[in-house]
Structures are given as C-alpha cells and as structure tokens.
Amino acid sequence: MPARPRPPAPALILTALVAATSLAGCAREPDPGTVTVLNSATDTHEHEQQQKFFDRCAKPLGVRVRQTSVPAAQVASKALRMASSHSLTDILELDGSELPQFADTGGLVPLRTAGVDVTGMSEGAVSMGSFRGTPYGIARSVNSLALIYNADLLREAGVEPPTTWDELRAAAKKLTRGKTFGMAFSATPDADGVYQFLPFFWSAGGDEARLDDGRGAPALQLWKDLVADRSASSAVVTWNQQDVNDQFIAGRAAMMINGPWQVPVLSTHKDLKWEVAAVPVPEAGRPPVPPIGGTVMTLPRTGDTARQRTAAKILNCLNEQRNQVDWGESVYNVPTRTAAAAAYKTQNPKLGAFADQVATARSRTGRVGARWPVVSDALAGAFQSVLTGRATPEAALKQAQSRATAGQ
Amino acid sequence: MTTTVTTAAAPAPAGHPAPDTAARRRRRATLLRWCFVAPAALYLLAFFGYPLVRNILMSFQHYTPHTFFTGESPFNGLDNWRAVFRNPLFVDSLGHTLVFTVGSLLGQFVLGLALAVFFSRRFPLSGVVRAVLLLPWLVPMVVSAVVWRKLLDQESGVINTLLMDLHLTSSAVPWLSSPDLALLAAILVNIWIGIPFNMVILYGGLQEIPRELREAAALDGAGAWRTFRSVTLPLLRPVVTVVLILGFMSTVKILDLILALTGGGPADSTQTLGTVTYQLSFQQLDFGQGAVVGNVLVLVSAVFAVLYLRANRSDFGQGK
C-alpha cells in the first residue's frame, strides 16, 4: 500500500468533533437578567400557569424567569447532574419527599439566610420543606388525600359517607354491585401507592421509623379485608392514582381515595356527582392523619449572592397571600399560608375537605428524613405482599423494617 | 487480514545509518493506519470505555447525592457489593431475570422462526402481512407496555373480557396483579415485542439459503420437516446464533417494559436486574450500589458478547 502524503482530514475532523462534544457539557456563564428554574411542569397548561406567576413576580424586579421542566421522576437526577457541573438553576423545585436528600448534601441555602419568610404558613407545610428543623424549601400550595365518592351511587344504596374503618368496610360491601366495586385505591409499589397507604397507616398509629412496632398492622389488615371482601378489586396493586380515577369516572368504583389534582378531570364529567369527605379513621373521634404532598421551591448554593437575593425576592412574592390563593385555585391545591387557606376554602367549598385535611396532614420525611426513599420502598413491599397474600400484616411489616434498615 | 497485521506490527529497524525510503514509507503507512483507527478508538474510549471504568470504580465508592455537590466519593471497599449481594431483592431479581430472559428468547425465537419460514413462501398479500407484523417493533417500548397494561387489566382489560366471552376462563385472570402470573405476563408482552426482530433477521437468513439445495433434498425424497431439519436449520445456524445472542443482550437488561407494565410488582415478583439498578440508583440515589448491579449486568452481557464475537469469527473463518 503506497503512503499518501496528505494528512487524513476526515480522521482529524472526527477527532475534533469527538473532543468538542465531550466539552459541550461545561457550564455557561448565566445571563444576569434571567432567573433560572428547574421544575417538573412538563404539562403545557401547568408550564404556562407557572410562567404567569413567575412573570408577575419577576417583572417588578426587572428580570425574566426561564423554566427548565423535566418529568417529575427525573428532577432529582437532573438536578444532581447539574450540581456536579456547577450549573444548577437559581430556583430548584423539588417534590417534598426529595427535599431531605438535597438539604442533607449542604447544597441548599437555608431559607432564613436567603431572606425567605415562612411565617404564617401551616405547620405541615413548613415541616415538609424542612430538614433537621431548618426550612430549606417553601411550598406555595400543598395537597393531600381524601375520600371522593359518587353521591348518586351512595344515595341509591342508602349509604352515608363512611367516617370510620368499620363504616368504610360496611359501606364498600354494600356499594359493590355487578361491575362496580365499593372502593378503589392505588396500591402500586411506588410513590402513588405509598402516598395512599399513609393516611391509613398513620391514623392507625403506625410509625415509619419503626415499621415493626405492630401499630401499623391494622391498616394493612383493612386493605386486605377490603380486597378479601371483594369490595375492592385485587387489581389495586397495579392501579396508579390515575387508573383509580379512571375506574371511578367509569362508574366501576363508588368511592376512591384520591387527591385534588384529579379535580380538573372529574369536573369535565358533568353527569358525575362527586363529593369529597375525609379519609375514614380507625375509630370515631380520632383525627385523620393524611400525608402532605406537593413541591417545595429551594435555593441551591450557586455561589452568586446577588442572583440568590433576586430569587429569594421572587419566592417571597410568589407566597404573598393573593398569589397563593390564585395559584392554589389554578392547580386545585391548598395554599400553605393559613390565612390564604381559609380564603381558598370559602371560595371553593367543594374542596373544603382537602383544605381541612391539610391542617392535620403530616410530612413524609419529618421522621426519617433522607432515608425516606428506602422506607417508602419497604412500605410498598409490605402492602404488596399482604394484598397478594404472600405475608400476614405483622410478618410483612417485620420484613419491611429489616429492608428499611438493611443499608444502615 | 493476518498479513496486514504483521506488516503493521513490524517496526522499522532502529538506528539505521541511511534514511531508507522503504522503511520510511512503511512507517508512514503505519501512521496513516493509526490515524484512521484513532477516531473510532477515541470514540470508543470516550463513550464506552470511560463510563465502563467509571461504573466499575463507582461500585467501590460511597456515591450519593453528596458526591454531586462536594465531588467527594470515598472508596468503601466491598461495602456496596456486600450490601447488594445480601439484599434479598437482588437475589430474587437474578432468578426473575433468568426466567424472563430464557422465556422471552424461547418464545420470540420459535414464533419468529415459524413466521419467517411461513413468509419465505410466496403468496398474495405476504408483503402486507409481513409489514403489519413489523409494527410492534416500530412502537416505542414504553407505549407498548402502557397499552398492554390496559389490555391486561384484571377488571377492564380487553383480554379478560375476550377470554370470558369465549368461555375460556370463568373469572378474570389477574395477569398483572398476581405475583404468580405477572412475570409470565411480562414475558408474553416481551415475546410480542421481540417477534419482529427475530422474524426479520431469520427471514433474511432464509433468503440466503439457495433454493436448489431444498429442491435437491426434495428430489432425494426428504419431506418438509426433514428438509427443514437437515438443510435449512444447519445453514441458518450462524444467523440463529446472532439472533439469540443479540436477543439475549437486549432482554437481560430490560427496564422500560417492566417499569411501565408492573413497576417491579406485585410483591416484587417482576423485579429484574434492570429494575433493581434503577431503584437503587434513581429512587434511593445510592449510585454505588446501583453500579454494582449494573456491573453484574455488564459482566453477564460481556460473556455473551464474547460468544457472539467468537461465533462471528468462526463464520469469517469459513470464508463467509
């Protein structure tokens, strides 16, 4: 083979290209007139709503807000990637259950240091945004779970909305006719299922830090009984909250556990008469203990205090009473400012049950902090093995506790 | 092949008194050859070598959200490996992965081969039907999984309605909600997804077998089955190896299908190595332990990749 004197141009170009692409991940210098946000508002409507409120608060400060939205399940890993390349946004909106893992890294600025005010917010909301007693994230609105029921079906069966577990079991049995189940809930092995299990687990006295203390077992027994009675389908182990709502809308479930984010969908079905009640409790007189959910806005340590101050001002503005009420109404979540929640309740009486639930709602990460994802997986394993008949409630919780502490 | 390697490897005699034009030319040829190899080699190193080495290192590190902010990821010896191997979920997932992979491959291959043989004959509309059979391959995995989740739903799924209307079953089959059936359901869906791939490759292989050979066999008095067994299958062997090994490698690491279909449930009955990696890395954010499971997957795949390369090399050896 004769040697050619020309340098192999294509090879050089390719080499250069490879080198260039591997450098493309480096951080860019941020635009001083733009505050950046990473959130999960991938839904067009939600994205636009967010932008509206951001604009409302950013305009007086002479800045613009640019959102980067990724699916909720990817926010944490995207944020971590950005953190490792020092390109985190000025505002990071995390799910409440993810906050401790981020706060624990020291990568977030305590709200008080940054000048964000959380006074006047409900205790549950502050606790959701806190790690080891220090608030790191502020929730504009929160959601919880309630019992949503088909008023027509209950009236036809002569059943009152149940308030206790015994009433729930009896009502669900009575409402189960033909293709309609009395009750539906989500028991998927993920965040959906765990969120739905918590009001039962906590109301029974269960403790996520000591799963095997036996006090949460009656909650597992209740779920098992509902399925064993055929008052709820055994397919609940595969139904996420969306599926549960679909079953309810299709008239295949007379009652369901679900959250206010289903309201927009429910409202489009005009012939469906739905009402909201509190999640039934083990015994009359005990307060329900539903979980508090939603997102919190945090301020990552970007090292630029001027930008941080602007971001903090935006957070304060977003959480003014009027903005909270407006935001809460646009996403059907309950404002976290106590006064705003009261205003919201009078303006939306139908969602009053959700507003009331939030008052006693509890943060998922309050007790176990950054260990929540492990505990959550363990709890999911527990109710799934009980519902599929693989374990008794006590054995399942014992197993869950050893799973939750295995890595320690 | 072998001759070029020897020339490339032969170095020019060092310290030669006068510049030998032949030696210089040879050196230039070597340099040029390396220039052509360099981009590919760099690409492989950057996009495959680096992540692989990183993943192996990570499995010996305490790699958590802290690492991303502080850049610190202290080595912790075999802690991650010990934790993962002690995790009952990992042990279970190994078994599930084995059953899932073997079951999927068997089903995909047998049905794919049957269809390929069927379509290798000419008949009206054969092309149209073949195109339709390719559809599962074109649909994104997650979409197929979500559609199948609806179809297999115990209460409102079409499959159960159909089975009951045909009086094949008396009550709804809990396809995805029974731990005894969920893995089978996942295998069935994956077979459905994998048939087109098997069919297309095997169909291509069948086209390469000279028609005369089969005609000769028929003249010798061999029946259809005998011809298939003694002529078609042996000649198809190299293609079969490729299909099975590529199928293995894409099945063993499956994640999206199972996540969308069952999420690993019910009661962890469909947890595979893929879902366990996902759970450890992206839900519990313990990237060190996630990397351990990832490495196990890489190792398993590597064994089969070597088999694949060997199978290919022997084909080259035969002058194919």
Side-chain angles (χ1 to χ4, degrees):
Chain A
M1 198 219 262
R4 274 166 295 179
R6 260 183 304 149
L12 289 180
I13 291 170
L14 261 174
T15 316
L17 267 179
V18 169
T21 37
S22 56
L23 286 175
C26 290
R28 270 172 303 163
E29 197 54 38
D31 171 7
T34 308
V35 170
T36 53
V37 179
L38 175 65
N39 62 15
S40 62
T42 44
D43 174 69
T44 315
H45 172 74
E46 197 194 336
H47 194 89
E48 282 166 4
Q49 282 296 322
Q50 289 266 27
Q51 195 62 48
K52 197 178 98 189
F53 282 86
F54 280 130
D55 289 346
R56 200 189 268 187
C57 287
K59 215 163 255 166
L61 300 171
V63 292
R64 277 168 301 139
V65 173
R66 190 166 50 83
Q67 302 181 67
T68 307
S69 302
V70 296
Q74 290 165 28
V75 173
S77 51
K78 168 96 178 166
L80 287 178
R81 278 202 304 278
M82 289 174 122
S84 66
S85 61
H86 302 287
S87 60
L88 254 177
T89 51
D90 301 303
I91 297 173
L92 168 62
E93 190 169 357
L94 291 167
D95 188 84
S97 66
E98 293 167 344
L99 178 104
Q101 287 173 296
F102 277 79
D104 193 24
T105 64
L108 301 179
V109 186
L111 291 183
R112 220 165 277 131
T113 317
V116 179
D117 188 21
V118 292
T119 45
M121 308 252 175
S122 75
E123 205 183 301
V126 174
S127 141
M128 181 169 82
S130 298
F131 178 67
R132 296 204 179 125
T134 308
Y136 285 94
I138 187 164
R140 283 187 284 171
S141 66
V142 285
N143 60 57
S144 189
L145 292 168
L147 183 81
I148 301 178
Y149 59 91
N150 184 322
D152 289 338
L153 289 178
L154 261 72
R155 195 170 26 79
E156 279 165 30
V159 172
E160 285 295 309
T163 57
T164 65
W165 286 6
D166 288 339
E167 286 176 26
L168 173 66
R169 239 183 114 177
K173 209 176 234 172
K174 230 171 162 183
L175 288 163
T176 303
R177 289 172 184 180
K179 288 204 152 194
T180 303
F181 286 98
M183 177 74 178
F185 51 89
S186 162
T188 47
D190 53 21
D192 271 22
V194 174
Y195 198 60
Q196 296 231 335
F197 180 59
L198 287 173
F200 297 98
F201 183 70
W202 279 337
S203 302
D207 179 355
E208 60 272 35
R210 287 169 58 219
L211 298 171
D212 57 350
D213 68 0
R215 299 180 62 186
L220 284 170
Q221 189 61 47
L222 173 74
W223 270 23
K224 193 182 161 68
D225 288 342
L226 285 169
V227 171
D229 292 348
R230 297 287 295 147
S231 303
S233 168
S234 54
V236 291
V237 291
T238 64
W239 287 349
N240 58 31
Q241 291 171 356
Q242 190 61 54
D243 298 326
V244 168
N245 199 44
D246 290 345
Q247 297 282 335
F248 181 78
I249 288 169
R252 289 167 169 271
M255 301 184 285
M256 68 167 173
I257 300 292
N258 229 322
W261 55 87
Q262 305 290 9
V263 169
V265 188
L266 288 170
S267 306
T268 57
H269 297 267
K270 298 288 174 219
D271 48 341
L272 187 71
K273 299 266 180 300
W274 55 274
E275 297 289 341
V276 185
V279 177
V281 289
E283 290 150 35
R286 275 214 225 173
V289 192
I292 194 165
T295 56
V296 291
M297 291 198 176
T298 64
L299 299 170
R301 272 187 210 281
T302 50
D304 188 334
T305 41
R307 294 179 68 88
Q308 208 175 81
R309 263 197 305 277
T310 316
K313 277 183 199 154
I314 292 178
L315 292 197
N316 278 331
C317 161
L318 287 173
N319 285 287
E320 281 166 14
Q321 174 154 345
R322 186 178 70 101
N323 284 336
Q324 271 209 356
V325 175
D326 289 357
W327 172 254
E329 282 177 345
S330 71
V331 293
Y332 298 95
N333 275 5
V334 184
T336 52
R337 207 167 270 289
T338 322
Y344 173 83
K345 196 180 158 183
T346 40
Q347 285 169 36
N348 305 275
K350 198 166 181 181
L351 301 175
F354 287 114
D356 292 338
Q357 295 273 56
V358 167
T360 54
R362 178 166 153 185
S363 153
R364 282 166 285 175
T365 54
R367 294 261 302 141
V368 294
R371 284 183 45 239
W372 172 252
V374 183
V375 173
S376 168
D377 275 342
L379 262 180
F383 61 68
Q384 285 241 317
S385 52
V386 167
L387 286 176
T388 54
R390 293 230 154 161
T392 62
E394 288 77 14
L397 284 173
K398 204 161 269 170
Q399 166 85 27
Q401 178 65 17
S402 71
R403 192 164 155 180
T405 50
Q408 284 188 313
Chain B
M1 186 76 198
T2 25
T3 43
T4 47
V5 170
T6 4
T7 33
H16 208 276
D20 184 351
T21 43
R24 195 196 283 166
R25 203 180 292 154
R26 215 177 302 136
R27 214 176 303 142
R28 228 183 227 169
T30 314
L31 187 72
L32 184 70
R33 228 170 270 132
W34 276 109
C35 282
F36 276 105
V37 172
L42 273 178
Y43 177 83
L44 283 175
L45 275 179
F47 292 100
F48 294 94
Y50 175 74
L52 191 67
V53 171
R54 205 70 204 77
N55 205 50
I56 293 173
L57 283 180
M58 209 191 261
S59 69
F60 297 102
Q61 285 174 312
H62 189 62
Y63 210 101
T64 58
H66 281 270
T67 311
F68 291 88
F69 284 93
T70 60
E72 286 163 19
S73 48
F75 282 91
N76 60 359
L78 289 172
D79 283 5
N80 293 332
W81 291 80
R82 225 172 278 139
V84 166
F85 283 107
R86 270 192 206 140
N87 187 345
L89 198 58
F90 172 75
V91 183
D92 287 352
S93 76
L94 269 179
H96 299 154
T97 309
L98 182 78
V99 173
F100 181 82
T101 310
V102 172
S104 298
L105 281 186
L106 263 180
Q108 290 173 356
F109 179 74
V110 171
L111 292 175
L113 182 61
L115 285 169
V117 171
F118 181 69
F119 282 106
S120 61
R121 279 179 279 176
R122 291 209 184 108
F123 56 90
L125 287 182
S126 137
V128 176
V129 179
R130 221 171 55 220
V132 170
L133 277 170
L134 273 182
L135 281 179
W137 206 14
L138 302 175
V139 181
M141 183 85 92
V142 175
V143 176
S144 317
V146 169
V147 170
W148 274 101
R149 205 169 72 87
K150 299 269 177 208
L151 294 178
L152 289 169
D153 187 86
Q154 189 183 331
E155 303 302 339
S156 48
V158 176
I159 308 257
N160 275 334
T161 316
L162 197 74
L163 287 177
M164 290 199 298
D165 285 352
L166 294 172
H167 297 287
L168 289 171
T169 54
S170 53
S171 61
V173 181
W175 292 110
L176 300 174
S177 41
S178 154
D180 303 322
L181 283 177
L183 192 58
L184 176 72
I187 292 174
L188 291 177
V189 173
N190 193 43
I191 289 176
W192 177 83
I193 290 171
I195 285 174
F197 171 74
N198 283 260
M199 187 184 84
V200 167
I201 308 279
L202 293 170
Y203 179 81
L206 285 175
Q207 298 301 301
E208 291 227 325
I209 298 173
R211 194 168 287 273
E212 305 86 66
L213 280 179
R214 267 178 282 172
E215 279 163 10
L219 283 178
D220 286 343
W225 172 242
R226 185 67 209 261
T227 314
F228 178 74
R229 226 186 40 171
S230 306
V231 177
T232 313
L233 262 189
L235 287 171
L236 206 58
R237 201 192 55 84
V239 181
V240 169
T241 323
V242 170
V243 163
L244 285 182
I245 290 173
L246 288 182
F248 174 86
M249 289 196 286
S250 63
T251 311
V252 77
K253 65 174 167 59
I254 208 142
L255 170 70
D256 36 8
L257 169 74
I258 293 191
L259 271 192
L261 200 63
T262 62
D268 294 320
S269 60
T270 54
Q271 293 275 12
T272 59
L273 290 176
T275 59
V276 172
T277 318
Y278 175 80
Q279 204 174 45
L280 287 172
S281 296
F282 296 106
Q283 280 178 298
Q284 304 187 357
L285 301 182
D286 191 329
F287 296 90
Q289 290 195 19
V292 172
V293 187
N295 284 331
V296 171
L297 263 178
V298 171
L299 206 69
V300 175
S301 294
V303 170
F304 280 81
V306 169
L307 288 180
Y308 171 69
L309 290 176
R310 282 183 67 110
N312 261 0
R313 201 173 48 188
S314 63
D315 290 343
F316 282 123
Q318 284 159 20
K320 283 216 158 198

